[in-house]
């Protein structure tokens, strides 16, 4: 009986690990780290503040906040732009509660480089949705974070991306499959242009819709790769929680 229980625990742990798989790859001469999440069964969430309203801000703090649930953090990434006080620049929903409304108008900076979009998490699926489509559809997202610009829109690169751009940063973002079962997160290992980053999602990761999260301050937590990026406190964080066993 003991051996059977051990085998069951092993299989359960393997199933959880399979919910997110991270790897390094090279595309068009640039280095990337990619983490693919099975949205059908992964416990994929957004994190901003703890139950007392205190900013979480760091991957380690999110991990500790999960411990009372008997869970730990298996993957995480910064997930959208934020103000100096770490509050989200755009739309933000956590555990079904809207904390910031949708911002649909153009504006300064990358966020206002329309079209931008929303990363929406619902039971069993994850979707990147262009902002105006999101407003029209009004999906019932348990978690949502708005950022911009969109990297890929229905299989096409953002129309403002230029192949000969000289604007290069470490960048991170997320793409989703058409059926919502795959959420693929990527961070560049060297400075890349928007055009280069967008082609990664379109041509390599095969996600018809993809959203830019941020640049320069981009960070990743991927213990399977022995990676836990450090830095100043962040705003919204996206992560996968697994049983702590």
């Amino acid at each position: 009986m003991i051996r059977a229980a051990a085998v069951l625990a092993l299989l359960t742990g393997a199933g959880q690990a399979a919910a997110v798989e991270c790897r390094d790859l090279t595309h068009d001469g640039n280095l990337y780290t990619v983490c693919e999440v099975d949205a059908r069964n992964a416990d994929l969430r957004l994190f901003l503040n703890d139950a007392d309203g205190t900013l979480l801000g760091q991957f380690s703090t999110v991990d500790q906040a999960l411990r009372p649930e008997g869970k730990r953090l298996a993957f995480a990434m910064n997930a959208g732009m934020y103000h100096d006080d770490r509050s989200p620049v755009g739309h933000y929903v956590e555990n079904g509660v809207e904390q910031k409304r949708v911002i649909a108008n153009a504006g300064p900076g990358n966020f206002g480089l329309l079209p931008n979009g929303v990363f929406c998490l619902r039971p069993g699926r994850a979707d990147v949705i262009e902002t105006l489509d999101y407003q029209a559809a009004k999906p019932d997202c348990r978690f949502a974070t708005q950022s911009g610009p969109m990297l890929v829109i229905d299989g096409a690169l953002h129309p403002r991306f230029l192949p000969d751009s000289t604007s290069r940063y470490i960048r991170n973002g997320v793409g989703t499959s058409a059926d919502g079962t795959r959420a693929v997160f990527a961070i560049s290992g060297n400075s890349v242009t928007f055009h280069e980053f967008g082609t990664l999602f379109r041509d390599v990761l095969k996600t018809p819709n993809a959203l830019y999260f941020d640049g320069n301050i981009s960070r990743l937590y991927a213990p399977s790769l022995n990676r836990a990026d450090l830095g100043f406190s962040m705003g919204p964080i996206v992560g996968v929680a697994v049983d702590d066993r």
Side-chain angles (χ1 to χ4, degrees), residues 5-223:
V7 171
L8 180 60
L10 214 68
L11 291 173
T12 303
Q16 291 186 111
V20 54
E21 296 182 353
C22 297
R23 67 190 189 276
D24 295 320
L25 61 84
T26 301
H27 171 59
D28 200 21
N30 296 307
L31 305 175
Y32 299 96
T33 299
V34 172
C35 292
E36 184 161 341
V37 176
D38 184 346
R40 294 168 297 183
N41 55 50
D43 186 359
L44 184 59
R45 317 181 194 177
L46 289 166
F47 305 89
L48 183 59
N49 301 312
D50 65 15
D52 298 323
T54 302
L55 177 73
L56 291 167
Q58 300 285 347
F59 300 137
S60 58
T61 314
V62 174
D63 186 56
Q64 287 301 313
L66 288 169
R67 297 306 170 116
E69 299 181 36
K71 294 184 177 294
R72 60 179 172 81
L73 198 58
F75 151 80
M77 175 180 277
N78 56 300
M81 298 169 190
Y82 47 86
H83 296 292
D84 289 344
D85 65 357
R86 274 42 181 183
S87 63
V89 169
H91 182 53
Y92 187 79
V93 176
E94 187 169 329
N95 282 319
V97 178
E98 183 182 62
Q99 299 186 24
K100 185 75 177 286
R101 66 178 180 84
V102 175
I103 306 296
N105 53 294
N110 292 323
F111 182 90
L113 184 61
L114 302 184
N116 58 23
V118 179
F119 179 53
C120 167
L121 298 176
R122 289 172 280 182
R125 70 177 298 141
D127 297 280
V128 168
I129 307 171
E130 188 274 326
T131 296
L132 296 182
D133 288 344
Y134 179 88
Q135 284 188 306
K138 296 181 173 58
D140 186 15
C141 307
R142 184 178 174 222
F143 297 93
T145 181
Q146 184 183 13
S147 193
M150 290 283 286
L151 296 168
V152 185
I153 311 152
D154 295 330
L157 292 183
H158 191 291
R160 298 283 295 277
F161 293 174
L162 302 175
D164 58 352
S165 172
T166 58
S167 176
R168 292 181 171 275
Y169 289 95
I170 301 294
R171 303 184 190 273
N172 74 299
V174 61
T176 53
S177 59
D179 62 3
T181 63
R182 296 170 60 234
V184 190
F185 301 86
I187 183 169
S188 65
N190 56 273
S191 297
V192 296
T193 66
F194 272 131
H195 189 276
E196 291 168 339
F197 198 41
T199 61
L200 172 77
F201 285 95
R202 184 193 63 185
D203 301 340
V204 179
L205 305 180
K206 305 296 184 182
T207 56
N209 289 286
L211 179 66
Y212 180 62
F213 275 154
D214 217 329
N216 204 33
I217 60 165
S218 301
R219 306 227 296 272
L220 174 68
Y221 178 79

